[in-house]
Amino acid sequence: PGSCPALCECSEAAKTVKCVNRNLTAVPPDLPSYVRNLFITGNRLAGLPAGAFPAQRLPDLSALNLSGNHLQAVEAGALAALPSLRQLDLSGNPLASFSPQAFGEGGSPLEELALHGALRNHSVLLSLAAMLQSGVLRNLSRLELADNGLLLLPAGMFTALPALRQLDLSNNSLVGLRNVSFQGLGQLQSLNLSDNSLGVLRNSTLAQFRGLPALQRIGLGRNPWVCDCAIEDLVAWLKESDQVEGKEALTCAYPDKMLGKALLKINGSELNCSVPVDLPSQLQTSYVFLGIVLALIGAIFLLVLYLNRKGIKKWMHNIRDACRDHMEGYHYRYEINADPRLTNLSSNSDV
């Protein structure tokens, strides 16, 4: 139990084991039971299978760093045998699959989860969302999802994290938060949304921010804010709220005439409200107008038919008579061909 695996450095006094940049392809099976802080970084671990950490062998392991290991798969039960695990770092791994049952079925004491640059694969993001929504990580207080190129987040992804205090979504490509719910995050203190692609925050999102009593720090820097009519609610909220860090530095990116303008200095008269910005409303209006035009065309067509009913009736009769004459001609020819006497007469027409 007190031995140190080959290619690792151990300190029993500090309860720490470091296996750094050793080209390991699997978790060493002979880890000392005293370890509390385990660093297995910069290696070549392709995956974490079930039972990657021996059951009952690491009862005190509380901090596990597996960053930069080329990990692609974390299988069901891979982290289930760690009863004291509080911190997990999987940053810098090109994860392709992350089982929602990686921590087992009974729940995990995990408090901090770092996934910087590990969620480039969309299916992994969906698996993570399923895991979070299952409630297996209800003790999670810090979640780091920065630097993952995220465009949108799965709906309800954070609803089962009542203990969450810090959420880092910085350096992604988030274009909106319409489907993101922050309801139930009563302990949330810090939310980092800087370095994304946010053009506006809708009133529904701002209302959620107002309803989070513990939320003290919101990072919104380096986003391309679109300064048109839709940004009025955001500007009003910025002026009344003390939650946003460095809000004085937030500036417009579009349109060109507003480029560099501080959001806090925008007045309603400066915004271009001549063009509707609500695309769904525009589409709805277009559909209504199209329906009215089609109904009008149909009414005119019926009116023309009614006014010309006699002519149409005569035309139909003419067509009927022509068809009848044509059919009588066919019938006459059929009778001649069917009567053998007429056939013989036709063949001896020279008599």
Side-chain angles (χ1 to χ4, degrees):
S3 64
C4 186
L7 304 179
C8 297
E9 300 175 1
C10 304
S11 171
E12 186 172 0
K15 310 295 183 183
T16 299
V17 174
K18 295 182 179 181
C19 311
V20 180
N21 298 326
R22 297 293 186 174
N23 287 324
L24 298 176
T25 57
V27 176
D30 52 348
L31 292 168
S33 59
Y34 63 73
V35 62
R36 292 183 181 176
N37 306 299
L38 176 58
F39 296 84
I40 305 178
T41 63
N43 291 288
R44 302 176 62 84
L45 277 66
L48 286 181
F53 296 91
Q56 310 302 326
R57 287 285 306 276
L58 304 173
D60 298 324
L61 181 61
S62 61
L64 175 59
N65 191 329
L66 296 171
S67 61
N69 275 306
H70 303 281
L71 275 173
Q72 297 185 18
V74 179
E75 300 179 8
L79 301 165
L82 300 173
S84 300
L85 188 62
R86 298 293 189 275
Q87 302 172 0
L88 175 62
D89 192 345
L90 292 171
S91 300
N93 287 296
L95 293 177
S97 64
F98 195 160
S99 172
Q101 291 79 39
F103 293 91
E105 301 288 346
S108 170
L110 193 68
E111 297 177 356
E112 300 183 11
L113 176 59
L115 291 165
H116 289 270
L119 301 177
R120 299 285 179 172
N121 189 307
H122 184 65
S123 63
V124 176
L125 176 63
L126 297 179
S127 298
L128 175 65
M131 178 192 299
L132 297 179
Q133 291 171 328
S134 70
V136 70
L137 298 180
R138 294 185 63 84
N139 295 312
L140 203 64
S141 62
R142 181 183 180 89
L143 179 59
E144 300 180 5
L145 303 177
D147 194 25
N148 282 304
L150 303 177
L151 290 172
L152 294 171
L153 296 173
M157 183 173 178
F158 309 118
T159 53
L161 300 175
L164 194 64
R165 296 185 179 183
Q166 300 178 33
L167 177 57
D168 187 358
L169 293 167
S170 64
N171 199 27
N172 282 293
S173 301
L174 295 173
V175 296
L177 299 175
R178 279 191 171 188
N179 64 327
V180 181
S181 175
F182 297 99
Q183 298 294 333
L185 302 183
Q187 303 297 320
L188 189 64
Q189 300 176 356
S190 173
L191 174 61
N192 193 349
L193 293 167
S194 60
D195 290 291
N196 275 284
S197 299
L198 297 171
V200 68
L201 293 181
R202 303 291 177 178
N203 202 30
S204 58
T205 300
L206 301 177
Q208 291 190 63
F209 291 164
R210 294 188 184 97
L212 297 176
L215 188 56
Q216 301 174 355
R217 298 184 302 278
I218 303 177
L220 295 175
R222 296 175 296 282
N223 278 285
W225 303 109
V226 179
C227 296
D228 56 17
C229 293
I231 207 168
E232 287 184 309
D233 292 333
L234 174 59
V235 171
W237 173 71
L238 287 174
K239 291 179 178 179
E240 70 180 28
S241 174
D242 294 329
Q243 296 171 303
V244 181
E245 294 181 326
K247 61 182 180 179
E248 295 80 7
L250 301 182
T251 59
C252 302
Y254 305 98
D256 291 340
K257 70 174 186 178
M258 300 290 287
L259 181 63
K261 178 80 173 182
L263 266 60
L264 289 177
K265 296 182 179 180
I266 292 178
N267 296 318
S269 58
E270 297 178 283
L271 301 177
N272 181 15
C273 298
S274 58
V275 179
V277 295
D278 191 351
L279 183 58
S281 297
Q282 285 182 304
L283 292 176
Q284 184 177 6
T285 303
S286 300
Y287 292 146
V288 171
F289 180 73
L290 179 61
I292 293 174
V293 171
L294 292 177
L296 182 60
I297 292 174
I300 294 175
F301 179 72
L302 293 175
L303 180 61
V304 171
L305 291 179
Y306 177 76
L307 294 177
N308 293 276
R309 61 189 183 278
K310 293 183 179 180
I312 293 173
K313 184 177 181 180
K314 182 179 179 180
W315 178 69
M316 293 295 293
H317 282 245
N318 292 337
I319 292 178
R320 183 194 63 186
D321 293 341
C323 290
R324 183 175 58 191
D325 294 342
H326 200 60
M327 292 303 296
E328 287 179 351
Y330 276 116
H331 183 67
Y332 177 72
R333 291 182 183 179
Y334 173 76
E335 288 180 344
I336 292 176
N337 294 332
D339 192 335
R341 294 174 300 172
L342 296 178
T343 303
N344 294 335
L345 179 62
S346 177
S347 61
N348 299 315
S349 58
D350 56 335
V351 180

mmCIF file of all heavy atoms in Angstrom, residues 295-312:
data_model
loop_
_atom_site.group_PDB
_atom_site.id
_atom_site.type_symbol
_atom_site.label_atom_id
_atom_site.label_comp_id
_atom_site.label_asym_id
_atom_site.label_seq_id
_atom_site.Cartn_x
_atom_site.Cartn_y
_atom_site.Cartn_z
ATOM 1 N N ALA A 295 -57.090 34.024 -50.781
ATOM 2 C CA ALA A 295 -58.544 34.023 -50.597
ATOM 3 C C ALA A 295 -59.216 34.977 -51.579
ATOM 4 O O ALA A 295 -60.279 34.669 -52.144
ATOM 5 C CB ALA A 295 -58.873 34.402 -49.159
ATOM 6 N N LEU A 296 -58.605 36.133 -51.810
ATOM 7 C CA LEU A 296 -59.164 37.107 -52.758
ATOM 8 C C LEU A 296 -59.154 36.550 -54.182
ATOM 9 O O LEU A 296 -60.148 36.688 -54.926
ATOM 10 C CB LEU A 296 -58.359 38.407 -52.689
ATOM 11 C CG LEU A 296 -58.839 39.555 -53.585
ATOM 12 C CD1 LEU A 296 -60.276 39.950 -53.221
ATOM 13 C CD2 LEU A 296 -57.926 40.771 -53.436
ATOM 14 N N ILE A 297 -58.061 35.891 -54.567
ATOM 15 C CA ILE A 297 -57.987 35.290 -55.903
ATOM 16 C C ILE A 297 -59.056 34.212 -56.059
ATOM 17 O O ILE A 297 -59.721 34.103 -57.102
ATOM 18 C CB ILE A 297 -56.581 34.705 -56.138
ATOM 19 C CG1 ILE A 297 -55.549 35.842 -56.222
ATOM 20 C CG2 ILE A 297 -56.547 33.873 -57.419
ATOM 21 C CD1 ILE A 297 -54.120 35.359 -56.302
ATOM 22 N N GLY A 298 -59.248 33.403 -55.028
ATOM 23 C CA GLY A 298 -60.277 32.370 -55.090
ATOM 24 C C GLY A 298 -61.671 32.950 -55.238
ATOM 25 O O GLY A 298 -62.499 32.435 -56.009
ATOM 26 N N ALA A 299 -61.957 34.043 -54.501
ATOM 27 C CA ALA A 299 -63.273 34.681 -54.596
ATOM 28 C C ALA A 299 -63.516 35.239 -55.999
ATOM 29 O O ALA A 299 -64.616 35.126 -56.558
ATOM 30 C CB ALA A 299 -63.381 35.772 -53.547
ATOM 31 N N ILE A 300 -62.492 35.864 -56.587
ATOM 32 C CA ILE A 300 -62.633 36.416 -57.949
ATOM 33 C C ILE A 300 -62.875 35.292 -58.947
ATOM 34 O O ILE A 300 -63.715 35.413 -59.861
ATOM 35 C CB ILE A 300 -61.365 37.215 -58.315
ATOM 36 C CG1 ILE A 300 -61.251 38.462 -57.424
ATOM 37 C CG2 ILE A 300 -61.392 37.611 -59.786
ATOM 38 C CD1 ILE A 300 -59.984 39.240 -57.611
ATOM 39 N N PHE A 301 -62.191 34.172 -58.779
ATOM 40 C CA PHE A 301 -62.370 33.047 -59.691
ATOM 41 C C PHE A 301 -63.795 32.508 -59.631
ATOM 42 O O PHE A 301 -64.437 32.237 -60.656
ATOM 43 C CB PHE A 301 -61.366 31.952 -59.331
ATOM 44 C CG PHE A 301 -61.466 30.723 -60.174
ATOM 45 C CD1 PHE A 301 -61.047 30.732 -61.497
ATOM 46 C CD2 PHE A 301 -62.014 29.554 -59.654
ATOM 47 C CE1 PHE A 301 -61.147 29.595 -62.284
ATOM 48 C CE2 PHE A 301 -62.123 28.427 -60.437
ATOM 49 C CZ PHE A 301 -61.677 28.441 -61.756
ATOM 50 N N LEU A 302 -64.331 32.363 -58.410
ATOM 51 C CA LEU A 302 -65.708 31.886 -58.258
ATOM 52 C C LEU A 302 -66.711 32.871 -58.849
ATOM 53 O O LEU A 302 -67.720 32.476 -59.450
ATOM 54 C CB LEU A 302 -66.002 31.636 -56.776
ATOM 55 C CG LEU A 302 -65.221 30.489 -56.120
ATOM 56 C CD1 LEU A 302 -65.525 30.424 -54.629
ATOM 57 C CD2 LEU A 302 -65.556 29.166 -56.788
ATOM 58 N N LEU A 303 -66.431 34.165 -58.690
ATOM 59 C CA LEU A 303 -67.322 35.182 -59.241
ATOM 60 C C LEU A 303 -67.345 35.108 -60.765
ATOM 61 O O LEU A 303 -68.415 35.205 -61.399
ATOM 62 C CB LEU A 303 -66.877 36.570 -58.772
ATOM 63 C CG LEU A 303 -67.712 37.758 -59.277
ATOM 64 C CD1 LEU A 303 -69.164 37.634 -58.787
ATOM 65 C CD2 LEU A 303 -67.110 39.083 -58.816
ATOM 66 N N VAL A 304 -66.187 34.927 -61.378
ATOM 67 C CA VAL A 304 -66.116 34.821 -62.843
ATOM 68 C C VAL A 304 -66.895 33.591 -63.324
ATOM 69 O O VAL A 304 -67.631 33.648 -64.318
ATOM 70 C CB VAL A 304 -64.639 34.751 -63.292
ATOM 71 C CG1 VAL A 304 -64.549 34.409 -64.780
ATOM 72 C CG2 VAL A 304 -63.944 36.084 -63.027
ATOM 73 N N LEU A 305 -66.748 32.493 -62.597
ATOM 74 C CA LEU A 305 -67.513 31.303 -62.967
ATOM 75 C C LEU A 305 -69.008 31.536 -62.890
ATOM 76 O O LEU A 305 -69.777 31.096 -63.758
ATOM 77 C CB LEU A 305 -67.120 30.131 -62.058
ATOM 78 C CG LEU A 305 -65.712 29.544 -62.230
ATOM 79 C CD1 LEU A 305 -65.485 28.423 -61.232
ATOM 80 C CD2 LEU A 305 -65.500 29.051 -63.650
ATOM 81 N N TYR A 306 -69.439 32.248 -61.849
ATOM 82 C CA TYR A 306 -70.874 32.499 -61.678
ATOM 83 C C TYR A 306 -71.410 33.394 -62.790
ATOM 84 O O TYR A 306 -72.484 33.142 -63.357
ATOM 85 C CB TYR A 306 -71.117 33.133 -60.315
ATOM 86 C CG TYR A 306 -72.570 33.504 -60.073
ATOM 87 C CD1 TYR A 306 -73.513 32.529 -59.766
ATOM 88 C CD2 TYR A 306 -72.983 34.832 -60.179
ATOM 89 C CE1 TYR A 306 -74.844 32.871 -59.553
ATOM 90 C CE2 TYR A 306 -74.303 35.182 -59.972
ATOM 91 C CZ TYR A 306 -75.236 34.197 -59.669
ATOM 92 O OH TYR A 306 -76.545 34.540 -59.467
ATOM 93 N N LEU A 307 -70.673 34.450 -63.136
ATOM 94 C CA LEU A 307 -71.146 35.388 -64.155
ATOM 95 C C LEU A 307 -71.164 34.748 -65.537
ATOM 96 O O LEU A 307 -71.932 35.179 -66.416
ATOM 97 C CB LEU A 307 -70.257 36.636 -64.153
ATOM 98 C CG LEU A 307 -70.319 37.503 -62.882
ATOM 99 C CD1 LEU A 307 -69.340 38.654 -62.970
ATOM 100 C CD2 LEU A 307 -71.737 38.020 -62.647
ATOM 101 N N ASN A 308 -70.364 33.773 -65.766
ATOM 102 C CA ASN A 308 -70.301 33.132 -67.078
ATOM 103 C C ASN A 308 -70.887 31.719 -67.047
ATOM 104 O O ASN A 308 -70.488 30.854 -67.830
ATOM 105 C CB ASN A 308 -68.835 33.072 -67.553
ATOM 106 C CG ASN A 308 -68.254 34.437 -67.844
ATOM 107 O OD1 ASN A 308 -68.435 34.968 -68.930
ATOM 108 N ND2 ASN A 308 -67.566 34.993 -66.850
ATOM 109 N N ARG A 309 -71.843 31.494 -66.140
ATOM 110 C CA ARG A 309 -72.379 30.152 -65.986
ATOM 111 C C ARG A 309 -73.091 29.654 -67.241
ATOM 112 O O ARG A 309 -73.011 28.482 -67.589
ATOM 113 C CB ARG A 309 -73.305 30.104 -64.772
ATOM 114 C CG ARG A 309 -74.515 31.015 -64.840
ATOM 115 C CD ARG A 309 -75.233 31.035 -63.490
ATOM 116 N NE ARG A 309 -76.444 31.847 -63.525
ATOM 117 C CZ ARG A 309 -76.455 33.168 -63.405
ATOM 118 N NH1 ARG A 309 -75.291 33.815 -63.249
ATOM 119 N NH2 ARG A 309 -77.591 33.843 -63.442
ATOM 120 N N LYS A 310 -73.827 30.582 -67.979
ATOM 121 C CA LYS A 310 -74.522 30.149 -69.187
ATOM 122 C C LYS A 310 -73.547 29.773 -70.288
ATOM 123 O O LYS A 310 -73.707 28.740 -70.960
ATOM 124 C CB LYS A 310 -75.458 31.261 -69.676
ATOM 125 C CG LYS A 310 -76.622 31.530 -68.728
ATOM 126 C CD LYS A 310 -77.551 32.601 -69.299
ATOM 127 C CE LYS A 310 -78.738 32.857 -68.359
ATOM 128 N NZ LYS A 310 -79.640 33.904 -68.908
ATOM 129 N N GLY A 311 -72.551 30.595 -70.498
ATOM 130 C CA GLY A 311 -71.544 30.290 -71.505
ATOM 131 C C GLY A 311 -70.802 29.006 -71.176
ATOM 132 O O GLY A 311 -70.511 28.189 -72.064
ATOM 133 N N ILE A 312 -70.489 28.834 -69.884
ATOM 134 C CA ILE A 312 -69.781 27.621 -69.466
ATOM 135 C C ILE A 312 -70.657 26.396 -69.685
ATOM 136 O O ILE A 312 -70.199 25.343 -70.134
ATOM 137 C CB ILE A 312 -69.347 27.746 -67.993
ATOM 138 C CG1 ILE A 312 -68.285 28.852 -67.840
ATOM 139 C CG2 ILE A 312 -68.820 26.424 -67.452
ATOM 140 C CD1 ILE A 312 -67.914 29.153 -66.423
#
